[in-house]
Amino acid sequence: MTQPRITLGVSLKMYFSYQQTLAWSEEVAEIARHHPAIVNGEVGLFVLPAFPAIAAIGQIFSATAVSIGAQDLCWEDSGAWTGEVGGPMLAELGCRYVEIGHAERRRHFAETDVQIAAKLAAALRNGLTPVLCFGEEQQLPPDQAIATCRQQLIAALSEANRQQLRGEVVLAWEPQWAIGAPAPAPDAFIAEVCDGLRQLNDFGDFHFRVIYGGSAGPGLLSRLGHQVNGLFLGRFAHQPAALRQIIDEAAALAATSPSATEA
């Protein structure tokens, strides 16, 4: 499958009610049906709602190029795991993506490197594209941030390597100090770290796309240019008009991209 030139992801977290999720999805689906860059695949968009809304928004986006996914999954595929959702069910519901390892999961639910690695392997095992969230806790110089992220990436891929699993992984770099902040990390810092992450070439047959998250919103993609493969959006995409603006920025950037298959 030809990769989009720019990738945009939206996590709705737990901000919306069920009905609000459906209403937002209807508006975004209408944008996606008519936006040339979404229709022709130059800009890829995926949406991660809360679990109960997955099936419903799958129907809403079914006639569009928008992909859907989940905000988490269990490291086991089935069994006595009360309250969990396994990869086979997510795939059955039509999910293509699944978010793994967000800083909020680490902080509030005590997720460990071992669990995150097992979840990433479960995603690949079930044909899902992991959206691996990682990033440094405190602001560091770019070279140290890259080194910290590389160590996190090694840990996250360890179980997939043990099981000899391979595939595409979306690397959602989110410096933890920028999550929920009034503004994203400084533009030059984002550009340098993302460029460094894209140069990592010692991870075998995994295919990476590097997208930035952490208070990302309108205007950022235009300023960053081709230093990133896209954005991972949260609250700044909750207004469909703002998301449309970001899609427009992605379309303009995609039009100047040297290759549609560039990682």
Side-chain angles (χ1 to χ4, degrees), residues 134 171-176 178-179 184-185 190 194 211-216 220 230-234:
F134 64 116
L171 301 182
W173 169 55
E174 296 188 302
Q176 295 183 33
I179 296 173
I190 295 174
C194 284
I211 63 177
Y212 170 80
S215 302
L220 179 60
L231 297 178
F232 193 31
L233 304 160

Side-chain angles (χ1 to χ4, degrees), residues 20-236:
Q20 287 174 322
T21 301
L22 300 191
W24 180 90
S25 297
E26 292 280 6
E27 290 192 58
V28 173
E30 184 66 14
I31 295 170
R33 276 190 289 269
H34 298 98
H35 201 294
I38 298 289
V39 173
N40 66 23
E42 289 188 341
V43 175
L45 175 63
F46 65 85
V47 176
L48 310 179
F51 282 130
I54 290 174
I57 78 158
Q59 290 296 315
I60 292 171
F61 286 116
S62 61
T64 76
V66 178
S67 298
I68 64 168
Q71 297 176 24
D72 193 20
L73 86 166
C74 184
W75 54 81
E76 295 290 346
D77 290 347
S78 64
W81 297 92
T82 302
E84 293 292 319
V85 179
M89 181 179 287
L90 295 178
E92 186 179 0
L93 285 169
C95 291
R96 180 182 170 191
Y97 292 91
V98 61
E99 184 178 2
I100 294 168
H102 194 278
E104 292 160 357
R105 299 290 311 178
R106 287 180 175 270
R107 183 182 309 119
H108 301 302
F109 298 95
E111 285 196 0
T112 66
D113 287 344
V114 171
Q115 291 170 325
I116 289 167
K119 289 183 177 188
L120 189 144
L124 293 174
R125 187 169 64 239
N126 288 287
L128 301 167
T129 298
V131 180
L132 176 64
C133 300
F134 64 116
E136 66 280 15
E137 293 184 13
Q138 298 177 337
Q139 189 165 2
L140 301 169
D143 59 337
Q144 294 182 32
I146 294 168
T148 299
C149 289
R150 184 180 181 277
Q151 291 304 311
Q152 292 179 0
L153 186 55
I154 290 171
L157 296 175
S158 61
E159 183 61 21
N161 279 321
R162 191 187 70 80
Q163 296 184 30
Q164 298 184 324
L165 297 166
R166 291 296 183 268
E168 178 187 25
V169 181
V170 176
L171 301 182
W173 169 55
E174 296 188 302
Q176 295 183 33
W177 48 270
I179 296 173
D187 295 353
F189 178 78
I190 295 174
E192 187 169 349
V193 174
C194 284
D195 185 62
L197 294 175
R198 293 203 299 177
Q199 301 307 314
L200 296 178
N201 57 10
D202 55 347
F203 290 93
D205 297 327
F206 294 100
H207 177 76
F208 295 143
R209 279 182 280 163
V210 179
I211 63 177
Y212 170 80
S215 302
L220 179 60
L221 195 57
S222 295
R223 299 196 306 271
L224 291 176
H226 294 291
Q227 300 292 336
V228 297
N229 297 134
L231 297 178
F232 193 31
L233 304 160
R235 67 190 189 278
F236 288 107

